Amino acid sequence: MEAVVAFISSATVTQVIIGTVVILLSYYMWKRPANFPPGPIGLPVAGIIPFIGKYPEQTFLKFSKQYGPVIGVRLGMNDFVVLNDYESITEALMKNKELVSGRPTHPLFEVVGEGYGIAVVDFSTFFKNQKKFGLVTLKGFGVGKKGMEERIFEEIFYINQAIHENIGKPHNLHKLLVNAMSNNVSSLVCGKRFDYTDKKFERMNYHLGRGYNDPETNKFNIFIRFAPYLRHIPPFSTSLDKLRNDVVKIHEILNEIIDEHRATLDCNSPRDFIDAFLIEMKKENNPDFSEKQLIHYCVDLFIAGIDTTTNTLRWAIIILLHYPKCQKKLRDEIVATIGTETKTTMSDRAKMPYTCAFMEELFRFRTVVPLGIVHKTNGNVKIGGYDVPKDTQVICNIWAVHNDPKLWKDPEKFDPQRFLDNEGNFVQSTKHLIAFSLGHRRCPGEVLARMEVFLILVSLLQRFEFVQGPSGLPDINAGANGGTFNPDPFSVVVRDI
């Protein structure tokens, strides 16, 4: 009898312990700060990661219809705040920009940036000084000016030449566009363009593309982004190792280029961004300008200048295939304005309202950075009436703004007319178009990206017609969604006009 009582007592103690653990885990799982935005918590440890799907921006928008535009979601073991409408995003990034412009400490950011560069460093005096230096320096080397137009036109010559080699044949233009965008950045950063067959150039573009924009790598890294503990578990750890290796290779190549610059540096006549940075490094009491900062800054400039613009142009080509009437209307306006031989300039935009409207709708319709780069609160802040504590990660769902039916009629349709008035005049970008983000973290490459898209698009349509290849129309809605939204690989037939 005593043995039975002892067994029951032991079982009761075990049940109490298990029950206590369950209660504590449940408490931790459901516990949130007071007045935190409502939203789904999901599963222990994983949160809602198993349910976000291939397109997290669309999943977040669905949740917002249940909980409201400002939602709190648990991704992995951390609570994020996701902003799903224009009002909440502007409240965070404009009204409270000093408090919502940080970057979180994250294993991915550590691998990519190591605490240096511009894209993933935290908001601080260091960030402000580096951003100011970059904007002033790049503007000094022609960004937004006639000098940059000439550099882009030099690259357009090589684009046209490469296209002519495959005229009338099915061809994937992805690598060609990557090379061209990389050379546009290189002309600013390194003071030169590279031949497309240059081995160093090929290696750098390969590692930039695989490490940062490869769909296979990104499909794992996007989960590490939300649940850092996954970096220790294959295949996520393998993907992160690939990224780490690519970063090392890119740094090796940039070190060679920087050494060449250092050996030929003339402090009285800087040739490019690297020269300007090396000159800053020589100044006394200037610790923010270091060798490591230079390398990471260069990487950030290449990443920002290649991937988003390349994929914007790829989406543009897909749209031209799906909407041949738009392609004809664009070409008719371009030819009527500048003919088929004259080089266009940025000043021609005023005479090409439909072309400008097409570009704006392109930026809206295919938002290439749907969720932006994650922000972090630098202090307690109120957004949408909710209290968001310091050090909370904040995601801005730009895609949701660009697909909000309250702002855009039939947002799922591509329609440049929404940027034209009744007389056919171009309506300057509506405030609701935020493809380049807002506030302190607004993309510093916006001016260059807009120049490239306009000049390249106009120049291509002056000379070529784009038609679908034998494999049919590429999917206009599907793509690989990592940090950026990339079209699936596709081929196109290009004809002379």
Side-chain angles (χ1 to χ4, degrees), residues 8-300:
I8 294 173
S9 299
S10 176
T12 303
V13 170
T14 302
Q15 290 171 346
V16 168
I17 292 172
I18 293 173
T20 302
V21 170
V22 169
I23 290 170
L24 289 173
L25 285 174
S26 299
Y27 174 75
Y28 166 76
M29 181 177 174
W30 290 98
K31 182 179 179 294
R32 278 180 163 174
N35 197 35
F36 193 75
I41 290 178
L43 305 175
V45 181
I48 67 164
I49 286 178
F51 314 112
I52 60 175
K54 187 177 180 181
Y55 304 110
E57 66 278 4
Q58 298 183 29
T59 303
F60 292 148
L61 181 59
K62 289 177 183 176
F63 285 138
S64 76
K65 296 187 185 305
Q66 178 181 354
Y67 296 101
V70 180
I71 60 173
V73 297
R74 184 156 295 168
L75 295 164
M77 294 186 287
N78 295 310
D79 285 317
F80 288 63
V81 170
V82 185
L83 312 178
N84 294 283
D85 69 352
Y86 177 77
E87 288 73 22
S88 61
I89 291 175
T90 52
E91 182 181 7
L93 301 189
M94 298 301 291
K95 181 180 176 182
N96 293 295
K97 59 185 177 182
E98 297 295 322
L99 292 172
V100 195
S101 292
R103 290 281 192 248
T105 300
H106 194 284
L108 273 178
F109 291 173
E110 285 300 313
V111 168
V112 172
E114 300 178 296
Y116 296 90
I118 190 76
V120 297
V121 296
D122 203 1
F123 185 68
S124 61
T125 301
F126 172 83
F127 166 80
K128 292 178 183 178
N129 290 339
Q130 292 293 320
K131 182 177 181 180
K132 181 180 179 181
F133 170 81
L135 291 172
V136 171
T137 302
L138 294 176
K139 186 176 180 181
F141 288 115
V143 173
K145 300 178 182 178
K146 193 73 176 175
M148 193 64 218
E149 287 186 19
E150 292 305 317
R151 296 183 187 193
I152 294 171
F153 272 117
E154 181 182 10
E155 209 54 45
I156 288 172
F157 170 81
Y158 292 100
I159 295 174
N160 290 341
Q161 193 176 59
I163 288 176
H164 271 294
E165 292 175 2
N166 293 280
I167 206 75
K169 305 173 188 174
H171 186 55
N172 187 332
L173 297 176
H174 188 186
K175 185 177 180 181
L176 172 60
L177 292 173
V178 166
N179 287 340
M181 298 311 108
S182 182
N183 261 332
N184 286 339
V185 178
S186 180
S187 69
L188 292 167
V189 174
C190 309
K192 61 176 288 188
R193 74 172 301 278
F194 292 87
D195 187 272
Y196 292 163
T197 59
D198 183 277
K199 296 302 180 184
K200 184 185 296 183
F201 184 68
E202 286 185 335
R203 286 201 326 272
M204 185 165 70
N205 286 339
Y206 168 77
H207 289 293
L208 284 167
R210 191 183 75 157
Y212 293 85
N213 308 307
D214 175 62
E216 284 300 309
T217 302
N218 270 336
K219 75 180 181 183
F220 296 116
N221 287 346
I222 193 170
F223 288 106
I224 298 175
R225 174 183 174 187
F226 295 142
Y229 63 84
L230 290 174
R231 71 189 186 278
H232 302 298
I233 306 169
F236 305 97
S237 57
T238 304
S239 178
L240 192 61
D241 287 341
K242 283 183 182 179
L243 177 60
R244 187 178 289 109
N245 178 67
D246 286 319
V247 170
V248 170
K249 296 297 184 183
I250 294 165
H251 286 191
E252 289 175 356
I253 296 168
L254 284 172
N255 268 318
E256 292 178 22
I257 295 171
I258 290 168
D259 286 343
E260 292 168 3
H261 275 66
R262 188 181 286 107
T264 57
L265 179 65
D266 180 353
C267 292
N268 296 314
S269 183
R271 298 158 292 188
D272 47 45
F273 182 87
I274 291 175
D275 273 3
F277 200 99
L278 288 172
I279 292 168
E280 286 294 320
M281 286 173 59
K282 289 178 174 291
K283 296 179 180 179
E284 294 183 8
N285 301 317
N286 215 5
D288 288 348
F289 289 81
S290 64
E291 189 88 17
K292 210 156 195 178
Q293 172 62 8
L294 172 56
I295 292 173
H296 281 284
Y297 211 142
C298 290
V299 173
D300 284 351

